[in-house]
Amino acid sequence: MIDFFKDMFLDLYDNFTEVFLNIIVMIIVMIGGFIVSWFIKKLLARLLILFRFDKWANEVGIINFLQKGGVHTLPSIVISKIVYWIFIVVFFSFGLNFIGISQFTEYASRVTSALPSSLCPLLSSSSELY
């Protein structure tokens, strides 16, 4: 009986250390992901400003389009924020994979595989306008 409880606690300890280490790795990956995503967002915004993307967007009419929709942020900042959140989702997915939650990755892959088919009708209808 004592050996049974001893083995049970040893198994519990082994499982706890394995899960705890996976959680630590997940936290490190997510914190690193936030830092990398923030750095990429700042770098991309500066590169787009350096290449005068906002000036081009104004000439094409993107800024007017965004302002009609209530967005008063520069297009370079909007794009950098979109890229930032894409990287956040990717690193979040990696972090969840470390603790064995692969459902999020599966869900994200389904959403991304559905995007091209849902955008194709939008792209084909917008090309008919010109």
Side-chain angles (χ1 to χ4, degrees):
M1 183 76 158
I2 293 175
D3 290 335
F4 171 74
F5 284 115
K6 184 179 178 182
D7 290 339
M8 185 177 72
F9 282 119
L10 287 175
D11 288 340
L12 182 65
Y13 176 74
D14 289 340
N15 289 335
F16 177 75
T17 56
E18 183 180 326
V19 170
F20 184 71
L21 288 176
N22 286 342
I23 290 173
I24 294 296
V25 169
M26 177 195 71
I27 291 170
I28 290 171
V29 166
M30 287 184 177
I31 290 172
F34 281 119
I35 293 169
V36 168
S37 300
W38 177 83
F39 180 73
I40 289 174
K41 177 179 84 167
K42 293 296 183 184
L43 179 67
L44 182 62
R46 288 182 187 239
L47 283 174
L48 288 174
I49 289 171
L50 178 70
F51 289 118
R52 295 182 173 87
F53 178 76
D54 295 325
K55 181 181 177 189
W56 173 81
N58 190 24
E59 291 172 358
V60 173
I62 294 174
I63 292 179
N64 290 334
F65 176 75
L66 290 174
Q67 287 177 346
K68 286 180 183 177
V71 178
H72 299 288
T73 307
L74 294 173
S76 60
I77 304 299
V78 171
I79 289 175
S80 65
K81 286 182 180 182
I82 290 170
V83 170
Y84 169 78
W85 283 107
I86 289 171
F87 274 91
I88 290 291
V89 168
V90 166
F91 279 105
F92 188 72
S93 174
F94 287 156
L96 289 177
N97 277 336
F98 275 109
I99 59 171
I101 302 176
S102 60
Q103 289 85 2
F104 180 79
T105 305
E106 188 176 318
Y107 175 72
S109 68
R110 286 183 184 176
V111 168
T112 55
S113 67
L115 281 177
S117 62
S118 62
L119 289 177
C120 286
L122 293 175
L123 295 175
S124 65
S125 66
S126 65
S127 64
E128 294 172 2
L129 297 175
Y130 297 107

